[in-house]
Amino acid sequence: MYVIAGLGNPGKKYENTRHNMGFITVDQLAIKHDIKVDKLKFKALVGEGRIAGQKVLLVKPQTYMNLSGESIRQVMHFYKLDPEKLIVIYDDIDIELGALRIRKFGSAGTHNGMKSVVYQLQSDRFPRIRIGIGSQKKGDLVDFVIGGFSKEEVPVLEETVTKAVSAIECILEEDVDIAMNRYNTKKARPKKEEHE
């Protein structure tokens, strides 16, 4: 069994904000695979189903972002799962808007939700999918991450969420390496002039 956890903040106020890209991705995955994420358990909204032949538990921690790890630790301990059976999806201000980064393991970086997960599990050996929200705007970072999307951002992020859903399916069906090769997006190189 795999646990697929999207990080975010509960409540209407945060519903469509940059910091909730993890929740938004889990919601899209749930819709696509007809999984209801509506049971309150492990301080999270959870839903069981099957994706790519694998049994999965979709998890949206309801603890607020900075305590996400408490919920995920409870899930992992209850099912006695190794960290490799966890996939975490979250927003990342250090990646340009709309880019996708999949990694097998690694540090939490600057993300407080991920810091909580790594701390609670006492491990960083689990795959994660980061959705770039960029931080082009100077000013208060908190206001930026819990702010809504601009009109221009919506289509870009919708496409990235669709890619993230495909990447999760790929990890479950094939493996993380294949998903990394297929879905990690590089920065677009400026096109060379034709007369060069």
Side-chain angles (χ1 to χ4, degrees), residues 4 22 42 52 55 60 65 78 90 100 107 164 178 181:
I4 300 167
F42 314 113
K55 195 173 173 195
K60 291 164 64 181
M65 183 64 87
F78 181 83
Y90 60 102
L100 204 61
S107 78
I178 292 172
N181 287 333

Side-chain angles (χ1 to χ4, degrees), residues 20 31 35 48 62 67 115 117 120 134 140 144 154 186 188:
N20 273 30
I31 290 164
I35 298 170
E48 278 185 45
Q62 299 294 293
L67 300 173
K115 284 179 186 170
V117 176
Q120 290 287 341
D140 187 3
F144 178 76
V154 171
K186 311 261 186 301

Side-chain angles (χ1 to χ4, degrees), residues 39-46 59-64 67-68 70-75:
K39 289 187 184 69
L40 198 52
K41 225 173 152 181
F42 314 113
K43 296 184 187 170
L45 283 171
V46 300
V59 177
K60 291 164 64 181
Q62 299 294 293
T63 52
Y64 288 98
L67 300 173
S68 301
E70 291 179 8
S71 167
I72 292 171
R73 187 199 66 221
Q74 286 183 20
V75 174

